[in-house]
Each structure stands twice: as structure tokens, then as C-alpha cells.
Amino acid sequence: MILHWQKSSYCSEGASCVHIATTTKAIHLTESGDPSTAILKATPAAFNALLTTLKEEATRV
């Protein structure tokens, strides 16, 4: 399977960035140092739960 990676819109030029690739069954995340290997792979539901938790934690800080 060939993944099509997209750089985060929050990344400035030349900075270390998060890249994301999606399929119908998984969300893949990696960093710009090695965009060919996913360091996190999750189902869309699990990824949504992660984002929800991170957003909740950010509002508590």
C-alpha cells in the first residue's frame, strides 16, 4: 500500500513536522525525519478519541 503523506498545516518551513496519511481503515502519523515509516497507526475512532483527549487536556492547562 502506498501512503500519501501530508504535512501538518501548523508546521513552518524547515521545522520538524508531523505528517499524516489516511486510509479507510487507519490514520498514520510520522515525523518529517522519516516520513516513510508510521510511528503511530490508529483506527479513525481511536485517533478521534486521542484528539478529543488532547484537546481536553489543553484546556485544563
Side-chain angles (χ1 to χ4, degrees):
M1 166 188 340
I2 296 173
L3 296 174
H4 300 282
W5 294 97
Q6 179 179 341
K7 183 169 63 170
S8 168
S9 62
Y10 290 98
C11 181
S12 61
E13 255 338 283
S16 185
C17 302
V18 172
H19 294 245
I20 187 168
T22 61
T23 65
T24 56
K25 296 182 181 183
I27 308 294
H28 305 263
L29 292 176
T30 191
E31 51 91 21
S32 58
D34 185 8
S36 64
T37 305
I39 58 172
L40 175 73
K41 179 179 173 184
T43 64
F47 188 69
N48 185 49
L50 171 65
L51 291 179
T52 300
T53 300
L54 291 173
K55 288 176 184 179
E56 288 172 357
E57 289 297 319
T59 60
R60 293 181 192 170
V61 176

Short mmCIF file of all heavy atoms in Angstrom, two decimals:
data_model
loop_
_atom_site.label_atom_id
_atom_site.label_comp_id
_atom_site.label_asym_id
_atom_site.label_seq_id
_atom_site.Cartn_x
_atom_site.Cartn_y
_atom_site.Cartn_z
N MET A 1 0.84 -1.18 0.00
CA MET A 1 0.00 0.00 0.00
C MET A 1 0.89 1.24 0.00
O MET A 1 1.82 1.35 0.79
CB MET A 1 -0.90 -0.02 1.24
CG MET A 1 -1.56 1.28 1.49
SD MET A 1 -2.47 1.46 3.05
CE MET A 1 -2.80 -0.16 3.58
N ILE A 2 0.59 2.17 -0.88
CA ILE A 2 1.32 3.42 -0.94
C ILE A 2 0.53 4.47 -0.15
O ILE A 2 -0.64 4.69 -0.41
CB ILE A 2 1.51 3.89 -2.39
CG1 ILE A 2 2.37 2.89 -3.15
CG2 ILE A 2 2.12 5.27 -2.44
CD1 ILE A 2 2.48 3.17 -4.63
N LEU A 3 1.20 5.08 0.81
CA LEU A 3 0.57 6.13 1.60
C LEU A 3 0.95 7.48 1.01
O LEU A 3 2.08 7.70 0.58
CB LEU A 3 1.02 6.06 3.05
CG LEU A 3 0.61 4.79 3.80
CD1 LEU A 3 1.25 4.78 5.19
CD2 LEU A 3 -0.90 4.67 3.90
N HIS A 4 0.01 8.39 1.00
CA HIS A 4 0.25 9.75 0.52
C HIS A 4 0.28 10.67 1.74
O HIS A 4 -0.75 10.94 2.35
CB HIS A 4 -0.84 10.16 -0.47
CG HIS A 4 -0.88 9.28 -1.67
ND1 HIS A 4 0.03 9.38 -2.70
CD2 HIS A 4 -1.69 8.25 -1.98
CE1 HIS A 4 -0.23 8.46 -3.60
NE2 HIS A 4 -1.27 7.76 -3.19
N TRP A 5 1.49 11.09 2.10
CA TRP A 5 1.70 11.88 3.31
C TRP A 5 1.41 13.35 3.06
O TRP A 5 1.75 13.90 2.04
CB TRP A 5 3.14 11.70 3.79
CG TRP A 5 3.42 10.31 4.23
CD1 TRP A 5 4.02 9.32 3.50
CD2 TRP A 5 3.10 9.73 5.49
NE1 TRP A 5 4.09 8.17 4.23
CE2 TRP A 5 3.53 8.39 5.46
CE3 TRP A 5 2.49 10.19 6.64
CZ2 TRP A 5 3.38 7.52 6.53
CZ3 TRP A 5 2.33 9.33 7.71
CH2 TRP A 5 2.77 8.01 7.65
N GLN A 6 0.80 13.98 4.07
CA GLN A 6 0.51 15.41 4.03
C GLN A 6 1.13 16.04 5.27
O GLN A 6 0.96 15.54 6.39
CB GLN A 6 -0.99 15.64 4.03
CG GLN A 6 -1.39 17.08 4.02
CD GLN A 6 -2.90 17.25 3.99
OE1 GLN A 6 -3.65 16.36 3.63
NE2 GLN A 6 -3.34 18.42 4.38
N LYS A 7 1.83 17.15 5.08
CA LYS A 7 2.46 17.84 6.20
C LYS A 7 1.42 18.65 6.97
O LYS A 7 0.51 19.24 6.38
CB LYS A 7 3.56 18.76 5.66
CG LYS A 7 4.33 19.49 6.75
CD LYS A 7 5.57 20.18 6.22
CE LYS A 7 5.25 21.26 5.24
NZ LYS A 7 6.41 22.10 4.90
N SER A 8 1.57 18.69 8.27
CA SER A 8 0.67 19.47 9.11
C SER A 8 0.65 20.94 8.70
O SER A 8 1.68 21.52 8.38
CB SER A 8 1.12 19.37 10.57
OG SER A 8 0.45 20.32 11.37
N SER A 9 -0.52 21.53 8.72
CA SER A 9 -0.66 22.95 8.39
C SER A 9 -0.07 23.83 9.49
O SER A 9 0.12 25.02 9.28
CB SER A 9 -2.13 23.30 8.17
OG SER A 9 -2.86 23.06 9.34
N TYR A 10 0.22 23.27 10.64
CA TYR A 10 0.81 24.02 11.75
C TYR A 10 2.34 24.04 11.67
O TYR A 10 3.00 24.60 12.52
CB TYR A 10 0.39 23.43 13.10
CG TYR A 10 -1.06 23.67 13.40
CD1 TYR A 10 -2.01 22.69 13.15
CD2 TYR A 10 -1.49 24.88 13.92
CE1 TYR A 10 -3.36 22.91 13.41
CE2 TYR A 10 -2.83 25.11 14.19
CZ TYR A 10 -3.75 24.12 13.93
OH TYR A 10 -5.06 24.35 14.20
N CYS A 11 2.91 23.44 10.67
CA CYS A 11 4.35 23.33 10.53
C CYS A 11 4.90 24.50 9.71
O CYS A 11 4.41 24.79 8.63
CB CYS A 11 4.68 22.01 9.83
SG CYS A 11 6.43 21.77 9.62
N SER A 12 5.93 25.12 10.23
CA SER A 12 6.58 26.18 9.46
C SER A 12 7.64 25.55 8.55
O SER A 12 8.06 24.42 8.76
CB SER A 12 7.20 27.21 10.39
OG SER A 12 8.17 26.60 11.20
N GLU A 13 8.08 26.28 7.55
CA GLU A 13 9.08 25.76 6.61
C GLU A 13 10.35 25.39 7.35
O GLU A 13 10.86 26.13 8.16
CB GLU A 13 9.42 26.84 5.59
CG GLU A 13 8.89 26.72 4.20
CD GLU A 13 8.48 25.39 3.66
OE1 GLU A 13 9.35 24.59 3.30
OE2 GLU A 13 7.28 25.15 3.57
N GLY A 14 10.88 24.20 7.05
CA GLY A 14 12.15 23.77 7.59
C GLY A 14 12.10 23.20 9.00
O GLY A 14 13.09 22.70 9.50
N ALA A 15 10.97 23.29 9.66
CA ALA A 15 10.85 22.78 11.02
C ALA A 15 10.57 21.28 11.02
O ALA A 15 10.16 20.72 10.01
CB ALA A 15 9.74 23.52 11.76
N SER A 16 10.81 20.65 12.14
CA SER A 16 10.44 19.25 12.28
C SER A 16 8.92 19.19 12.33
O SER A 16 8.29 19.89 13.12
CB SER A 16 11.04 18.68 13.57
OG SER A 16 10.77 17.31 13.65
N CYS A 17 8.33 18.38 11.48
CA CYS A 17 6.88 18.42 11.30
C CYS A 17 6.23 17.05 11.49
O CYS A 17 6.87 16.02 11.34
CB CYS A 17 6.56 18.87 9.88
SG CYS A 17 7.22 20.47 9.49
N VAL A 18 4.96 17.08 11.75
CA VAL A 18 4.14 15.88 11.79
C VAL A 18 3.52 15.71 10.41
O VAL A 18 3.06 16.67 9.80
CB VAL A 18 3.04 15.99 12.86
CG1 VAL A 18 2.08 14.82 12.77
CG2 VAL A 18 3.65 16.09 14.24
N HIS A 19 3.54 14.47 9.92
CA HIS A 19 2.91 14.14 8.64
C HIS A 19 1.81 13.13 8.90
O HIS A 19 1.93 12.29 9.79
CB HIS A 19 3.94 13.54 7.68
CG HIS A 19 5.00 14.50 7.26
ND1 HIS A 19 5.14 14.92 5.97
CD2 HIS A 19 5.96 15.14 7.96
CE1 HIS A 19 6.15 15.76 5.88
NE2 HIS A 19 6.67 15.90 7.10
N ILE A 20 0.74 13.20 8.13
CA ILE A 20 -0.39 12.29 8.28
C ILE A 20 -0.75 11.68 6.93
O ILE A 20 -0.63 12.32 5.90
CB ILE A 20 -1.61 13.03 8.89
CG1 ILE A 20 -2.73 12.06 9.22
CG2 ILE A 20 -2.07 14.15 7.97
CD1 ILE A 20 -3.83 12.64 10.07
N ALA A 21 -1.13 10.43 6.98
CA ALA A 21 -1.65 9.73 5.81
C ALA A 21 -2.86 8.93 6.28
O ALA A 21 -2.87 8.37 7.37
CB ALA A 21 -0.61 8.80 5.21
N THR A 22 -3.90 8.90 5.46
CA THR A 22 -5.11 8.19 5.86
C THR A 22 -5.48 7.12 4.84
O THR A 22 -5.18 7.24 3.65
CB THR A 22 -6.30 9.16 6.00
OG1 THR A 22 -6.54 9.79 4.74
CG2 THR A 22 -6.02 10.21 7.05
N THR A 23 -6.09 6.08 5.35
CA THR A 23 -6.73 5.06 4.53
C THR A 23 -8.13 4.91 5.10
O THR A 23 -8.47 5.54 6.10
CB THR A 23 -5.98 3.70 4.59
OG1 THR A 23 -6.06 3.19 5.92
CG2 THR A 23 -4.53 3.85 4.17
N THR A 24 -8.93 4.07 4.50
CA THR A 24 -10.29 3.88 5.02
C THR A 24 -10.29 3.21 6.39
O THR A 24 -11.24 3.35 7.15
CB THR A 24 -11.14 3.04 4.05
OG1 THR A 24 -10.48 1.80 3.81
CG2 THR A 24 -11.36 3.78 2.75
N LYS A 25 -9.20 2.51 6.72
CA LYS A 25 -9.17 1.77 7.98
C LYS A 25 -8.20 2.32 9.02
O LYS A 25 -8.23 1.88 10.17
CB LYS A 25 -8.81 0.31 7.71
CG LYS A 25 -9.85 -0.39 6.88
CD LYS A 25 -9.50 -1.84 6.68
CE LYS A 25 -10.58 -2.50 5.81
NZ LYS A 25 -10.34 -3.92 5.64
N ALA A 26 -7.33 3.25 8.63
CA ALA A 26 -6.31 3.70 9.59
C ALA A 26 -5.85 5.13 9.32
O ALA A 26 -5.89 5.61 8.20
CB ALA A 26 -5.11 2.77 9.56
N ILE A 27 -5.39 5.75 10.41
CA ILE A 27 -4.73 7.03 10.37
C ILE A 27 -3.26 6.75 10.70
O ILE A 27 -2.97 6.08 11.68
CB ILE A 27 -5.30 8.00 11.43
CG1 ILE A 27 -6.81 8.10 11.34
CG2 ILE A 27 -4.62 9.35 11.37
CD1 ILE A 27 -7.34 8.74 10.10
N HIS A 28 -2.35 7.25 9.89
CA HIS A 28 -0.92 7.04 10.10
C HIS A 28 -0.27 8.39 10.38
O HIS A 28 -0.53 9.35 9.67
CB HIS A 28 -0.27 6.45 8.84
CG HIS A 28 -0.91 5.20 8.36
ND1 HIS A 28 -0.42 3.96 8.67
CD2 HIS A 28 -2.01 4.99 7.60
CE1 HIS A 28 -1.20 3.03 8.10
NE2 HIS A 28 -2.17 3.64 7.45
N LEU A 29 0.56 8.45 11.43
CA LEU A 29 1.30 9.66 11.74
C LEU A 29 2.78 9.35 11.75
O LEU A 29 3.20 8.28 12.18
CB LEU A 29 0.93 10.19 13.13
CG LEU A 29 -0.47 10.74 13.30
CD1 LEU A 29 -0.69 11.12 14.75
CD2 LEU A 29 -0.71 11.93 12.42
N THR A 30 3.56 10.29 11.29
CA THR A 30 5.02 10.17 11.34
C THR A 30 5.61 11.56 11.49
O THR A 30 4.88 12.56 11.45
CB THR A 30 5.56 9.45 10.09
OG1 THR A 30 6.94 9.14 10.29
CG2 THR A 30 5.39 10.28 8.83
N GLU A 31 6.92 11.63 11.63
CA GLU A 31 7.57 12.94 11.70
C GLU A 31 8.45 13.11 10.48
O GLU A 31 8.78 12.15 9.79
CB GLU A 31 8.36 13.10 13.00
CG GLU A 31 9.29 11.98 13.34
CD GLU A 31 10.70 12.20 12.81
OE1 GLU A 31 11.07 13.34 12.52
OE2 GLU A 31 11.40 11.22 12.66
N SER A 32 8.81 14.34 10.19
CA SER A 32 9.49 14.64 8.93
C SER A 32 10.85 13.98 8.78
O SER A 32 11.33 13.83 7.67
CB SER A 32 9.62 16.16 8.76
OG SER A 32 10.34 16.71 9.84
N GLY A 33 11.47 13.55 9.86
CA GLY A 33 12.77 12.90 9.78
C GLY A 33 12.72 11.58 9.04
O GLY A 33 13.69 11.16 8.42
N ASP A 34 11.58 10.87 9.07
CA ASP A 34 11.43 9.60 8.38
C ASP A 34 9.97 9.42 7.96
O ASP A 34 9.22 8.67 8.56
CB ASP A 34 11.86 8.44 9.27
CG ASP A 34 11.84 7.10 8.54
OD1 ASP A 34 11.63 7.08 7.31
OD2 ASP A 34 12.03 6.08 9.20
N PRO A 35 9.53 10.13 6.92
CA PRO A 35 8.12 10.08 6.53
C PRO A 35 7.68 8.77 5.88
O PRO A 35 6.53 8.61 5.56
CB PRO A 35 7.99 11.25 5.56
CG PRO A 35 9.36 11.43 5.02
CD PRO A 35 10.30 11.06 6.14
N SER A 36 8.58 7.81 5.72
CA SER A 36 8.20 6.55 5.10
C SER A 36 7.73 5.52 6.11
O SER A 36 7.20 4.48 5.74
CB SER A 36 9.37 5.98 4.29
OG SER A 36 10.44 5.66 5.16
N THR A 37 7.93 5.77 7.38
CA THR A 37 7.56 4.81 8.42
C THR A 37 6.62 5.46 9.43
O THR A 37 6.99 6.45 10.05
CB THR A 37 8.81 4.30 9.16
OG1 THR A 37 9.72 3.76 8.20
CG2 THR A 37 8.46 3.23 10.16
N ALA A 38 5.44 4.93 9.58
CA ALA A 38 4.48 5.47 10.55
C ALA A 38 4.93 5.13 11.95
O ALA A 38 5.30 4.00 12.25
CB ALA A 38 3.09 4.90 10.31
N ILE A 39 4.92 6.12 12.83
CA ILE A 39 5.26 5.86 14.21
C ILE A 39 3.99 5.69 15.06
O ILE A 39 4.06 5.27 16.19
CB ILE A 39 6.16 6.96 14.80
CG1 ILE A 39 5.50 8.33 14.69
CG2 ILE A 39 7.52 6.94 14.14
CD1 ILE A 39 6.24 9.43 15.43
N LEU A 40 2.85 6.03 14.47
CA LEU A 40 1.57 5.82 15.13
C LEU A 40 0.56 5.41 14.07
O LEU A 40 0.47 6.04 13.02
CB LEU A 40 1.08 7.10 15.82
CG LEU A 40 -0.31 7.03 16.45
CD1 LEU A 40 -0.26 6.18 17.71
CD2 LEU A 40 -0.82 8.40 16.76
N LYS A 41 -0.16 4.35 14.35
CA LYS A 41 -1.21 3.88 13.44
C LYS A 41 -2.43 3.59 14.30
O LYS A 41 -2.33 2.88 15.30
CB LYS A 41 -0.75 2.62 12.71
CG LYS A 41 -1.78 2.06 11.76
CD LYS A 41 -1.22 0.82 11.08
CE LYS A 41 -2.26 0.12 10.25
NZ LYS A 41 -1.74 -1.12 9.68
N ALA A 42 -3.56 4.17 13.93
CA ALA A 42 -4.77 4.01 14.73
C ALA A 42 -5.99 3.97 13.83
O ALA A 42 -5.97 4.50 12.73
CB ALA A 42 -4.90 5.15 15.72
N THR A 43 -7.05 3.38 14.34
CA THR A 43 -8.32 3.43 13.61
C THR A 43 -8.83 4.87 13.69
O THR A 43 -8.44 5.63 14.59
CB THR A 43 -9.37 2.51 14.24
OG1 THR A 43 -9.66 2.98 15.57
CG2 THR A 43 -8.91 1.06 14.28
N PRO A 44 -9.70 5.27 12.78
CA PRO A 44 -10.24 6.63 12.86
C PRO A 44 -10.92 6.91 14.21
O PRO A 44 -10.77 8.00 14.76
CB PRO A 44 -11.24 6.68 11.70
CG PRO A 44 -10.63 5.76 10.69
CD PRO A 44 -10.08 4.62 11.52
N ALA A 45 -11.62 5.94 14.77
CA ALA A 45 -12.29 6.15 16.06
C ALA A 45 -11.28 6.35 17.18
O ALA A 45 -11.45 7.23 18.03
CB ALA A 45 -13.20 4.96 16.37
N ALA A 46 -10.22 5.56 17.19
CA ALA A 46 -9.19 5.70 18.22
C ALA A 46 -8.45 7.02 18.07
O ALA A 46 -8.13 7.68 19.07
CB ALA A 46 -8.22 4.53 18.15
N PHE A 47 -8.18 7.42 16.84
CA PHE A 47 -7.50 8.69 16.60
C PHE A 47 -8.38 9.86 17.05
O PHE A 47 -7.89 10.81 17.66
CB PHE A 47 -7.12 8.82 15.13
CG PHE A 47 -6.26 10.00 14.83
CD1 PHE A 47 -4.95 10.06 15.27
CD2 PHE A 47 -6.76 11.07 14.11
CE1 PHE A 47 -4.15 11.15 15.00
CE2 PHE A 47 -5.96 12.17 13.84
CZ PHE A 47 -4.66 12.22 14.29
N ASN A 48 -9.66 9.78 16.79
CA ASN A 48 -10.59 10.81 17.24
C ASN A 48 -10.60 10.90 18.77
O ASN A 48 -10.61 11.99 19.33
CB ASN A 48 -11.99 10.53 16.71
CG ASN A 48 -12.95 11.65 17.04
OD1 ASN A 48 -12.65 12.82 16.82
ND2 ASN A 48 -14.10 11.30 17.59
N ALA A 49 -10.56 9.75 19.43
CA ALA A 49 -10.52 9.74 20.89
C ALA A 49 -9.23 10.38 21.40
O ALA A 49 -9.25 11.13 22.38
CB ALA A 49 -10.64 8.31 21.41
N LEU A 50 -8.12 10.11 20.74
CA LEU A 50 -6.84 10.73 21.11
C LEU A 50 -6.92 12.25 20.97
O LEU A 50 -6.54 12.98 21.89
CB LEU A 50 -5.71 10.18 20.24
CG LEU A 50 -4.36 10.89 20.38
CD1 LEU A 50 -3.78 10.71 21.76
CD2 LEU A 50 -3.39 10.39 19.32
N LEU A 51 -7.42 12.73 19.84
CA LEU A 51 -7.53 14.18 19.63
C LEU A 51 -8.45 14.82 20.65
O LEU A 51 -8.16 15.90 21.18
CB LEU A 51 -8.02 14.48 18.22
CG LEU A 51 -7.05 14.15 17.10
CD1 LEU A 51 -7.68 14.48 15.75
CD2 LEU A 51 -5.73 14.87 17.26
N THR A 52 -9.56 14.17 20.95
CA THR A 52 -10.51 14.70 21.94
C THR A 52 -9.84 14.82 23.31
O THR A 52 -9.95 15.84 23.98
CB THR A 52 -11.75 13.80 22.02
OG1 THR A 52 -12.38 13.78 20.74
CG2 THR A 52 -12.73 14.29 23.07
N THR A 53 -9.10 13.79 23.70
CA THR A 53 -8.40 13.80 24.98
C THR A 53 -7.34 14.90 25.02
O THR A 53 -7.22 15.62 26.01
CB THR A 53 -7.76 12.43 25.26
OG1 THR A 53 -8.79 11.45 25.30
CG2 THR A 53 -7.00 12.42 26.58
N LEU A 54 -6.57 15.03 23.95
CA LEU A 54 -5.53 16.07 23.91
C LEU A 54 -6.14 17.47 23.99
O LEU A 54 -5.60 18.34 24.68
CB LEU A 54 -4.70 15.93 22.63
CG LEU A 54 -3.81 14.69 22.56
CD1 LEU A 54 -3.18 14.57 21.19
CD2 LEU A 54 -2.76 14.71 23.65
N LYS A 55 -7.26 17.68 23.32
CA LYS A 55 -7.92 18.98 23.37
C LYS A 55 -8.44 19.27 24.77
O LYS A 55 -8.35 20.40 25.26
CB LYS A 55 -9.05 19.05 22.35
CG LYS A 55 -8.56 19.14 20.92
CD LYS A 55 -9.71 19.10 19.95
CE LYS A 55 -9.24 19.07 18.52
NZ LYS A 55 -10.35 19.00 17.55
N GLU A 56 -9.00 18.27 25.43
CA GLU A 56 -9.50 18.44 26.80
C GLU A 56 -8.35 18.77 27.75
O GLU A 56 -8.48 19.63 28.61
CB GLU A 56 -10.23 17.18 27.26
CG GLU A 56 -11.56 16.97 26.59
CD GLU A 56 -12.18 15.62 26.93
OE1 GLU A 56 -11.55 14.81 27.65
OE2 GLU A 56 -13.30 15.37 26.46
N GLU A 57 -7.23 18.06 27.59
CA GLU A 57 -6.06 18.32 28.44
C GLU A 57 -5.52 19.72 28.21
O GLU A 57 -5.08 20.40 29.14
CB GLU A 57 -4.97 17.28 28.19
CG GLU A 57 -5.31 15.89 28.70
CD GLU A 57 -5.47 15.84 30.21
OE1 GLU A 57 -4.67 16.48 30.93
OE2 GLU A 57 -6.40 15.17 30.67
N ALA A 58 -5.53 20.19 26.97
CA ALA A 58 -5.01 21.52 26.64
C ALA A 58 -5.84 22.61 27.30
O ALA A 58 -5.31 23.66 27.69
CB ALA A 58 -4.97 21.72 25.14
N THR A 59 -7.14 22.40 27.45
CA THR A 59 -7.98 23.41 28.08
C THR A 59 -7.80 23.43 29.59
O THR A 59 -8.15 24.42 30.23
CB THR A 59 -9.47 23.20 27.73
OG1 THR A 59 -9.89 21.92 28.19
CG2 THR A 59 -9.69 23.33 26.24
N ARG A 60 -7.28 22.37 30.16
CA ARG A 60 -7.06 22.30 31.61
C ARG A 60 -5.78 22.99 32.03
O ARG A 60 -5.60 23.30 33.20
CB ARG A 60 -7.00 20.85 32.08
CG ARG A 60 -8.31 20.14 31.93
CD ARG A 60 -8.20 18.74 32.43
NE ARG A 60 -9.39 17.99 32.01
CZ ARG A 60 -9.51 16.70 32.12
NH1 ARG A 60 -8.54 15.99 32.64
NH2 ARG A 60 -10.60 16.11 31.71
N VAL A 61 -4.88 23.19 31.10
CA VAL A 61 -3.57 23.76 31.43
C VAL A 61 -3.66 25.26 31.54
O VAL A 61 -4.33 25.98 31.02
CB VAL A 61 -2.52 23.37 30.37
CG1 VAL A 61 -1.18 24.03 30.64
CG2 VAL A 61 -2.37 21.88 30.35
#
